[in-house]
Amino acid sequence: MADKWIFWFNELRSEHNDMVGKKCANLGEMVHLGMRVPPGFAISADGYERFMQTTGAGEEIREYVRKNKEDLKDAVGKQVEASRFIRSVIQSKPMPKDMKLTLWEHYEQLCEQLKCTDVPVAIRSSGAISMPGQMETYLNVCGKKEIVKKVIQVWGSAFTTRAIAFRLENNMELDKAPIGVAILKMVNAKCAGVTLTVLPTTGDLSKIVVEGNWGLGESVVSGEITPDSFTVDKASGKAETTINKKTKMVVYKASGIGMVKVPEALQEKPCLNTEELEEIVRIAKDVEAHFDMPQDMEWVFDSDLPFPENLFWVQTRPAKYT
């Protein structure tokens, strides 16, 4: 294992995928492209391995898998049971003192950088292999003790039932799943959403689709509401707009996040104005050109900053389309 297992985003590029996972590597690449990314840092897969080895959790999991692997292959109930057991093993282990202090040092530096005590952060999984929706994200996490707790829970989420089933189906190792973890400042979201630089249903590369809602982007990603939708022609910039009635949005709570009612005055108002949409499209086209492939991106506008400094990007990855 390498001595260094935490990296600031500006230390990373896309070629570090195997070291910190795709999400973290791409966040680093986005920083180097000059995009606005919320400040933060990444825990490498070595950090996961260090925790599993030092605490003995890895050995307990290997022994469990050795005894039960054959039973897991075609039995969903057994996969649920395995997930519950493995995650409980991981979450029962305290983070080793040296690791905890290193993590706290980086969080303290982030707080100092932002001139804020107990900066609220998002803690997201970052797998070397793309497994969207199979691992967990924790939002609006504040304070050193909570950071440690949630990082361990993200490591445990590498063994959700869906993740176990995925690895079984793809003949991957079951007893280990080293993943990276992204820790980045929460954005005080006015609105947020996703951008695809291709029409996913037809594969039309001449269009960009932007979908958004008020508040945090989780309401859009989860599919719990019908977002506003903008289909923009890459060449002409002409947009076809569908503004839906948006009755719910995701916002900060005292701890974590929650779904609340959208104020009536905003329910049928577009969550993006023309210049905000144009800025999203401009940057998305540049990113697609950089990676030389259609992108699936997540954006958020910060209500505390002026335009265009308030547009932040929290993910880009290759788009899936027909």
Side-chain angles (χ1 to χ4, degrees):
M1 291 182 290
D3 291 335
K4 184 177 173 69
W5 54 275
I6 295 186
F7 300 84
W8 296 99
F9 291 144
N10 63 8
E11 297 180 275
L12 301 171
R13 301 297 297 259
S14 55
E15 61 262 28
H16 295 122
N17 172 72
D18 290 345
M19 184 173 75
V20 294
K22 289 185 177 180
K23 184 182 278 97
C24 293
N26 282 345
L27 285 169
E29 189 71 15
M30 290 155 71
V31 169
H32 285 278
L33 284 175
M35 298 169 68
R36 282 178 290 274
V37 172
F41 53 90
I43 297 174
S44 72
D46 268 344
Y48 165 96
E49 294 278 22
R50 185 183 297 263
F51 172 85
M52 299 294 276
Q53 181 176 312
T54 306
T55 62
E59 183 56 39
E60 289 183 49
I61 293 167
R62 281 191 292 275
E63 181 64 16
Y64 179 87
V65 170
R66 186 185 65 79
K67 291 179 178 178
N68 296 278
K69 187 172 183 179
E70 290 304 313
D71 293 338
L72 292 172
K73 289 183 178 177
D74 299 305
V76 174
K78 289 289 186 181
Q79 293 169 13
V80 171
E81 184 181 301
S83 173
R84 189 180 299 119
F85 174 82
I86 293 172
R87 295 181 74 177
S88 70
V89 167
I90 294 171
Q91 292 176 27
S92 72
K93 308 295 185 185
M95 185 175 286
K97 185 177 180 180
D98 63 326
M99 293 187 69
K100 181 171 65 177
L101 292 176
T102 301
L103 178 55
W104 282 357
E105 283 176 12
H106 282 76
Y107 180 61
E108 287 167 355
Q109 288 178 43
L110 182 63
C111 292
E112 289 172 9
Q113 176 186 340
L114 296 168
K115 297 179 172 59
C116 177
T117 303
D118 291 345
V119 168
V121 296
I123 302 182
R124 300 176 179 270
S125 63
S126 177
I129 296 171
S130 182
M131 299 168 64
Q134 296 186 25
M135 293 179 279
E136 289 173 359
T137 287
Y138 297 95
L139 303 179
N140 194 23
V141 181
C142 302
K144 294 190 292 187
K145 290 184 178 179
E146 278 299 304
I147 300 289
V148 169
K149 178 181 176 182
K150 296 305 184 188
V151 165
I152 293 172
Q153 289 179 356
V154 168
W155 283 333
S157 77
F159 294 93
T160 61
T161 304
R162 289 179 64 192
I164 288 173
F166 179 89
R167 288 200 287 277
L168 284 167
E169 289 166 8
N170 290 277
N171 296 313
M172 297 165 62
E173 285 186 284
L174 192 60
D175 58 356
K176 59 186 295 186
I179 59 170
V181 181
I183 299 176
L184 59 163
K185 176 189 176 291
M186 287 289 294
V187 175
N188 186 17
K190 179 191 78 165
C191 61
V194 298
T195 298
L196 288 94
T197 63
V198 59
L199 282 185
T201 53
T202 65
D204 185 348
L205 295 169
S206 69
K207 302 290 194 297
I208 289 179
V209 179
V210 179
E211 294 184 339
N213 186 25
W214 301 111
L216 295 164
E218 273 53 40
S219 65
V220 178
V221 175
S222 68
E224 292 190 53
I225 58 98
T226 303
D228 290 340
S229 180
F230 310 84
T231 301
V232 182
D233 183 86
K234 289 177 182 175
S236 69
K238 183 178 179 181
E240 295 179 12
T241 299
T242 302
I243 305 305
N244 292 300
K245 186 171 184 179
K246 303 169 289 295
T247 58
K248 297 178 181 178
M249 63 180 179
V250 176
V251 298
Y252 290 173
K253 294 289 190 179
S255 176
I257 59 173
M259 188 81 77
V260 300
K261 183 179 178 181
V262 174
E264 288 194 14
L266 296 178
Q267 289 183 6
E268 297 185 63
K269 181 179 178 180
C271 68
L272 291 171
N273 62 36
T274 299
E275 66 176 357
E276 289 169 339
L277 177 63
E278 289 175 350
E279 182 71 355
I280 288 172
V281 169
R282 180 187 70 80
I283 294 173
K285 287 164 63 176
D286 288 346
V287 175
E288 179 185 58
H290 174 77
F291 286 104
D292 196 26
M293 65 180 64
Q295 295 293 296
D296 177 352
M297 308 173 69
E298 295 181 18
W299 52 268
V300 54
F301 278 98
D302 191 326
S303 61
D304 296 332
L305 295 170
F307 178 83
E309 289 79 14
N310 60 343
L311 173 56
F312 288 87
W313 297 88
V314 294
Q315 179 160 282
T316 191
R317 61 190 178 197
K320 294 182 178 179
Y321 58 96
T322 303

